[in-house]
Amino acid sequence: MLILVGPSASGKTQIVQILRAKYGLNKMVTYTSRQMRPGEREGIDYFFLTKEEFEKRINEGFFIEYVTYNGNYYGTSLSQVSSDKVVILEPNGLKHYLEKLRSEVKVAFLRCSKEIVRIRMQHRGDASDVIAKRLLLDEEVFNKDVMKLADWVIDTSASNIYANAEEIYNLYKTKKNLFILLSIRRF
């Protein structure tokens, strides 16, 4: 499984869309308790739950990992994990995956300059106060310690998002094929 992690507006969603359309990876649909944004679709972008529904599933042991980020729950179910999937996680969710499934995942950290992130958030219509809050939070959350957990660090500041997706896919494909080859040689 391929995991993307990075600050707001670093290109994660667009890269996942390209990985799906051009390279045939499937997006792992995660769960959230946050409100649906304009243009998002149930079961495509997320499975949207109320806070109470999310907490009920936590208590039932439904999630492989879940976190609270920016006042909302986010989580993934174990039934979604497979090598043909890509998922976007925040650092705490990533740490849960690495603790439980390290040999089954590869991680790409998307690094992006603060100014480019600000511009991208403005273009997608985020309010100025939300942008300021997210920039401060992301600077704290997406730090060098998280970057060290990644297999690859990809700078999305000045490059073409299609080139970023291709680079990530090629790195993942190489590692995935090496893993399969090593598995076959063990038998």
Side-chain angles (χ1 to χ4, degrees):
M1 173 183 278
L2 175 59
I3 297 172
L4 300 183
V5 63
S8 302
S10 60
K12 299 178 302 288
T13 302
Q14 289 177 306
I15 288 174
V16 167
Q17 290 170 349
I18 295 165
L19 290 169
R20 289 180 64 216
K22 188 171 181 180
Y23 301 105
L25 290 180
N26 296 306
K27 178 183 181 269
M28 175 185 274
V29 181
T30 58
Y31 292 76
T32 186
S33 65
R34 76 160 170 76
Q35 293 294 310
M36 190 182 296
R37 291 179 183 153
E40 289 182 327
R41 296 171 293 169
E42 172 70 26
I44 303 294
D45 299 294
Y46 287 97
F47 293 111
F48 293 92
L49 303 174
T50 65
K51 187 174 183 177
E52 293 75 24
E53 291 170 327
F54 204 104
E55 290 170 345
K56 180 179 181 228
R57 292 196 185 190
I58 290 170
N59 293 330
E60 295 169 348
F62 179 79
F63 297 107
I64 187 171
E65 63 81 29
Y66 67 91
V67 296
T68 304
Y69 179 73
N70 206 23
N72 297 296
Y73 285 116
Y74 293 84
T76 56
S77 68
L78 184 56
S79 64
Q80 290 276 326
V81 176
S82 74
S83 65
D84 69 336
K85 291 198 177 166
V86 58
V87 64
I88 297 169
L89 296 176
E90 58 75 57
N92 288 325
L94 171 64
K95 290 174 186 174
H96 288 286
Y97 265 81
L98 294 177
E99 287 172 10
K100 297 174 184 177
L101 302 168
R102 183 58 181 128
S103 64
E104 299 174 43
V105 300
K106 292 296 172 195
V107 181
F109 183 96
L110 305 184
R111 181 178 56 203
C112 192
S113 76
K114 200 172 185 176
E115 188 54 36
I116 296 296
V117 165
R118 180 187 319 278
I119 291 167
R120 288 177 182 172
M121 285 194 273
Q122 288 169 337
H123 282 281
R124 73 180 187 192
D126 292 357
S128 295
D129 61 326
V130 170
I131 292 171
K133 181 180 174 184
R134 293 299 291 269
L135 288 173
L136 287 174
L137 181 61
D138 283 355
E139 188 172 359
E140 179 183 321
V141 172
F142 296 97
N143 56 41
K144 290 181 182 181
D145 292 334
V146 175
M147 200 179 303
K148 289 177 187 176
L149 298 174
D151 296 290
W152 315 291
V153 176
I154 310 295
D155 192 326
T156 62
S157 299
S159 56
N160 178 300
I161 204 79
Y162 292 96
N164 294 141
E166 181 177 17
E167 178 182 9
I168 291 167
Y169 178 75
N170 287 333
L171 289 166
Y172 181 64
K173 186 172 106 177
T174 301
K175 292 290 183 183
K176 186 174 158 189
N177 288 341
L178 180 60
F179 176 75
I180 291 168
L181 180 62
L182 291 174
S183 297
I184 291 169
R185 287 187 177 171
R186 288 184 190 159
F187 294 104

